[in-house]
Each structure stands twice: as structure tokens, then as C-alpha cells.
Amino acid sequence: MRLRNIKGAKETVLKSSYVIENPNLYYGNWEVCFSNQNPIHVEIGMGKGRFIIENAIRYPNINFVGIEKYNSVLVKAIQQLEGKNLPNLKIISMDAKEIEQIFNQEIDTIYLNFSDPWPKKRHAKRRLTSTDFLEKYEQIFKNKKHIIIKTDNRNLFEYSITSCSCFGYHIKEISLDLYQEGRNDNIPTEYEIKFSNKGYPIYRMEIEK
């Protein structure tokens, strides 16, 4: 699906106090950006921001960084942040393939929510759970590697299980239908609400290394 270009989106995004325009300046020193040494959690592909904003509200002692490639999508997140004061939230507009240039052994958890499945085999390296990306994550994790994945795409989920397992991750938790479990700690994304309301199963996996 092609994203509709929103005129002035980049300018609007960069005006936000939540957005870090030159994130590479904090490479290896994100505790300065947040002015504390709290754990840092990153969501790659934050979309319109519902998930990470709610996390930042619910968990003030965790620092959150949202990464999104498209400014036309980030504008929606910026709108949601109007009137909120969340010093534990920062946003970066960038392509995730450069993530190892932004963080250096500083991240505690990565969230991959409803990532692009890139279904064609020739595009497999673009999947956020491909070996190429897992190698990048190795460079940014602080100690234990911890990834939480949610998707409605079974093929991507199965691929991720295989890819991550072969890379040395073990499964801590797994769900083949998240909404049948009645969890009360789940924070849904915009896509998640849309797909679950249509009756699609939501797959979730928490892995560690």
C-alpha cells in the first residue's frame, strides 16, 4: 500500500520537541539525551505511535525511542503527543537499516510490531528479523538480547521463529492467538486493533539471547 504524501510533513515532524534530528550525535551516550540511566526500549516501525506513547505513559521509569521511516506517518504520532509531557520518549525519523549507527550497546528491548512482511523471497533480507538485521541488533543491545514481536502475518511469524532460533535466540513466550489468552498487559498498535477487530489471530513472541 502506497503512503499518501502529506505536504509539510517533514517540517512538522522536525518541529516537535520529541524528535531527535541528529540522533547519531548521541551514539553511545543516550543517557545524556534522557538525562538518566534508565533502561532504553526501542520500537522499530512505530507507525502512528499508539503503542510507544502508551508505553511511555504507563512506564515512566523506562526510556522509549520510536523509529519510523515515513514522516507522513509520524505526523499522526506528533498530533497524538500534543499536550502531553513525556520526558521518557524520543522519536527518530530514519531507516532502521542504519540503526547500528545510532546506538552502541545501550538498548535493553526491541519491539517489532506488525513489520512489513516483505513476502517475496528475493526481499527476505529486508525483513526486520532477517540475519542482516539480527546482526545489527547485536551491536546495539546492552547486555541480554530481548526482542518482542507481534504480527498478523503467519508466514512472517514462522520465518521469524526459524531465523531468530538459528541466530541463537530462545523463545521465552509465544502466542498463536493473543486475544484468546485474555492478557491484561497488552498494549495494542493501530494495526493490531484493526486486524483483531476483523477476527485475524495476532501472533506474539518474546525471545531472549
Side-chain angles (χ1 to χ4, degrees), residues 16-166:
S16 173
S17 60
Y18 288 95
V19 175
I20 305 298
E21 186 173 357
N22 297 303
N24 59 301
L25 296 179
Y26 290 104
Y27 178 81
N29 212 15
W30 276 86
E31 62 184 39
V32 172
C33 181
F34 285 105
S35 300
N36 62 56
Q37 297 181 344
N38 291 340
I40 301 175
H41 292 195
V42 172
E43 182 184 13
I44 300 177
M46 63 171 278
K48 298 176 183 178
R50 188 187 191 282
F51 175 84
I52 200 163
I53 292 172
E54 180 58 33
N55 267 283
I57 293 170
R58 193 176 295 189
Y59 305 106
N61 293 323
I62 297 175
N63 295 323
F64 293 91
V65 179
I67 294 175
E68 174 56 51
K69 182 178 179 180
Y70 300 105
N71 287 313
S72 294
V73 177
L74 272 182
V75 165
K76 303 294 184 180
I78 299 304
Q79 291 172 347
Q80 290 190 61
L81 285 166
E82 290 181 5
K84 292 183 172 63
N85 180 28
L86 298 172
N88 63 326
L89 174 62
K90 303 298 179 185
I91 294 172
I92 304 173
S93 176
M94 62 171 284
D95 192 318
K97 67 183 180 182
E98 300 172 355
I99 195 168
E100 81 280 12
Q101 300 174 30
I102 305 301
F103 305 105
N104 179 34
Q105 298 180 344
E106 301 169 276
I107 305 306
D108 294 271
T109 297
I110 291 176
Y111 301 101
L112 303 177
N113 292 319
F114 298 86
S115 307
D116 192 328
W118 292 104
K120 294 181 180 179
K121 186 174 291 188
R122 69 175 184 270
H123 293 152
K125 288 186 177 181
R126 300 184 186 183
R127 298 170 191 161
L128 293 181
T129 49
S130 69
T131 299
D132 285 32
F133 274 97
L134 293 176
E135 288 176 346
K136 292 176 183 291
Y137 305 154
E138 289 285 296
Q139 301 176 55
I140 72 172
F141 275 122
K142 187 175 183 180
N143 294 307
K144 181 181 288 187
K145 286 77 174 173
H146 183 220
I147 303 176
I148 299 176
I149 300 165
K150 288 197 289 187
T151 182
D152 68 308
N153 190 293
R154 188 178 181 92
N155 289 334
L156 176 62
F157 194 66
E158 291 175 350
Y159 169 87
S160 299
I161 291 173
T162 301
S163 177
C164 294
S165 295
C166 289

